[in-house]
Amino acid sequence: MKKSAAGAILAVAFTAVSKASTGNSNLTVPPGAVYIDPLMYDVVGASYTKWRNLSSVGFNPTNTAPPFIQVFDPSFLEVTGPSATIRQIASNPGFSFAHEAPIYVPDLNVLFFSNTGSGPLSYSGWYNNSVISMINMTEVEIALASTTGNVNIQVETVNLPDTLQMVNGGTGPYKGDLLFVTSGRALLPPSVVLVNPNPPYNATVLLDNFLGRQFNSLNDVKILPGTDVIYFTDPSYGYLSGFRPEPMLPSQVYRFDPSTGQVRMVADRFVHPNGIAFTPDGTTAFITDSGMGGGFLGTNQTLPSTIYQYDVDPSTQLLKNRRVFAYIDSGLPDGIQLDTMGNVYSGCGEGTHVWNAQGTLIGKFYLNSTSAQMMFTKSGLVILNEEAMYFVNIQAQGIDLAAS
């Protein structure tokens, strides 16, 4: 096939997709959303010129200007609803203020989160701690209701005790408190910490070692539904990002029972275990392996960029029967959340990707930049995007992450 012929065929395909996205087919999508029919891209031909040889390059065959919603399966419309849009709600160019550890407190209608622990825009590292901030979602909702465009709500810094060094994961509320895991900084140990969500934001360290050995750099945390038991991941990103010593433990996942003090490893065989989540009944766990991203070692696209699924043993609460749930086509999977319909959300290289319970990619909230985490609030989905935060007024609702 000649190059010109291949280009003409692809142009027809792109036009067909555009028609679908504007409602000229049986599929009606939200305003500005784009329907990507997988059948149109299964074969592109040897003369195709837009090969994505780098996973950092997003899949945007329609060349739609971000941010926008990509629909890969009609079932994604049950997530978005008929009028979902992506709008910026906070921005601070030059500072990666919105990275990880989102915790939504419904009683306050406030979202807490942390900035990144490394990189030139984080202003944190071996000698400097990261920052915890919060945004008032009531102010966000009022501002969004007053305009059809973006807004920029003031983000408030939370002054936490020095016992919290490089917060990277968060969940809860846990018995009324914020539950954070820290990566540690320099020789200061990683830890599991409870923080009062109200001033003076006093903190209680629950765990900072594995039988006398420092963890590597704790990354993410979730509560096993129906229990008080805490699970967390421990990759070596602190070392790879230059703010922690060389790791002294394998990259693993741990179970911690605060009532007994018992901590044990429950899953291994990762390169970099990252995000973690459970189904609401506590029978299934999801863990992301962002092994492709190697910090100062660089990117290795042959290493995992994968979400794994496990069964939770009902008697031991170990994680067993590991299997692949999804492989990420752009970037790597970081934080992970679930909605009440069983769909799985993960922060990836282009924004937030969404799979159904069977592991089929059904849609993306496409920002064209890396988004590590996201969190449901009572009014929609907030996406953390380093120098900015976005809000999507979807109809899907997140599962309850609280432990009473």
Side-chain angles (χ1 to χ4, degrees), residues 33 46 86 136 187 206 208 235 259 294 299 304 307 312 314 319 342 350 390 396:
I86 304 175
N136 188 312
L187 302 181
L206 300 179
D208 67 2
S259 67
T299 299
I307 303 175
V312 181
L319 305 184
E350 310 151 318
Y390 291 87

Side-chain angles (χ1 to χ4, degrees), residues 132 158-164 167 178 180 195-196 200-203:
I132 295 293
V158 181
N159 294 317
L160 296 181
D162 289 339
T163 47
L164 285 87
V167 170
L178 310 175
F180 287 122
V195 174
N196 186 344
Y201 307 112
N202 47 297

Side-chain angles (χ1 to χ4, degrees), residues 27-33 69 71 73-85 339 341 343 345 365 392-397:
L27 186 65
T28 301
V29 300
I69 297 171
V71 180
D73 187 273
S75 64
F76 192 49
L77 301 179
E78 299 176 17
V79 170
T80 65
S83 58
T85 58
D339 69 24
M341 295 182 285
N343 299 308
Y345 300 59
F365 299 108
V392 195
N393 57 322
I394 61 176
Q395 67 181 14
Q397 297 180 333

Side-chain angles (χ1 to χ4, degrees), residues 117-185:
S118 63
L121 300 183
S122 70
Y123 301 101
S124 59
W126 187 276
Y127 298 104
N128 298 291
N129 197 6
S130 60
V131 176
I132 295 293
S133 302
M134 65 181 184
I135 189 169
N136 188 312
M137 293 306 299
T138 300
E139 294 180 10
V140 171
E141 293 157 7
I142 293 172
L144 290 176
S146 67
T147 180
T148 58
N150 296 327
V151 299
N152 194 4
I153 301 302
Q154 181 67 41
V155 170
E156 180 180 345
T157 300
V158 181
N159 294 317
L160 296 181
D162 289 339
T163 47
L164 285 87
Q165 294 289 328
M166 297 297 200
V167 170
N168 198 84
T171 193
Y174 184 86
K175 301 182 179 180
D177 288 329
L178 310 175
L179 178 61
F180 287 122
V181 291
T182 76
S183 293
R185 180 176 60 83

Side-chain angles (χ1 to χ4, degrees), residues 131-365:
V131 176
I132 295 293
S133 302
M134 65 181 184
I135 189 169
N136 188 312
M137 293 306 299
T138 300
E139 294 180 10
V140 171
E141 293 157 7
I142 293 172
L144 290 176
S146 67
T147 180
T148 58
N150 296 327
V151 299
N152 194 4
I153 301 302
Q154 181 67 41
V155 170
E156 180 180 345
T157 300
V158 181
N159 294 317
L160 296 181
D162 289 339
T163 47
L164 285 87
Q165 294 289 328
M166 297 297 200
V167 170
N168 198 84
T171 193
Y174 184 86
K175 301 182 179 180
D177 288 329
L178 310 175
L179 178 61
F180 287 122
V181 291
T182 76
S183 293
R185 180 176 60 83
L187 302 181
L188 301 173
S191 58
V192 179
V193 190
L194 290 180
V195 174
N196 186 344
N198 299 290
Y201 307 112
N202 47 297
T204 303
V205 177
L206 300 179
L207 178 71
D208 67 2
N209 72 95
F210 179 66
L211 300 178
R213 302 172 68 181
Q214 284 196 17
F215 294 105
N216 297 327
S217 48
L218 305 190
N219 191 280
D220 200 9
V221 59
K222 284 294 193 306
I223 305 157
L224 180 64
T227 76
D228 298 335
V229 175
I230 298 167
Y231 286 69
F232 55 86
T233 61
D234 186 36
S236 56
Y237 276 128
Y239 168 69
L240 295 172
S241 300
F243 63 83
R244 282 284 291 157
E246 187 174 351
M248 301 301 289
L249 286 168
S251 293
Q252 304 175 140
V253 179
Y254 295 85
R255 171 194 180 274
F256 171 55
D257 186 346
S259 67
T260 65
Q262 291 288 341
V263 57
R264 63 178 301 183
M265 185 269 285
V266 292
D268 62 0
R269 295 185 296 135
F270 298 98
V271 179
H272 300 307
N274 201 317
I276 185 169
F278 293 98
T279 54
D281 61 7
T283 62
T284 304
F286 299 88
I287 299 173
T288 66
D289 190 339
S290 53
M292 184 185 74
F296 66 71
L297 296 177
T299 299
N300 185 338
Q301 294 186 136
T302 67
L303 291 178
S305 184
T306 307
I307 303 175
Y308 294 102
Q309 188 178 46
Y310 297 80
D311 296 329
V312 181
D313 188 283
S315 59
T316 64
Q317 297 181 339
L318 295 175
L319 305 184
K320 62 181 185 179
N321 299 330
R322 164 173 158 150
R323 62 267 190 192
V324 170
F325 176 76
Y327 176 77
I328 313 309
D329 71 285
S330 296
L332 50 82
D334 202 319
I336 187 168
Q337 309 290 348
L338 273 66
D339 69 24
T340 56
M341 295 182 285
N343 299 308
V344 177
Y345 300 59
S346 185
C348 299
E350 310 151 318
T352 297
H353 296 190
V354 184
W355 299 263
N356 65 17
Q358 289 72 46
T360 298
L361 179 68
I362 59 174
K364 298 180 181 180
F365 299 108

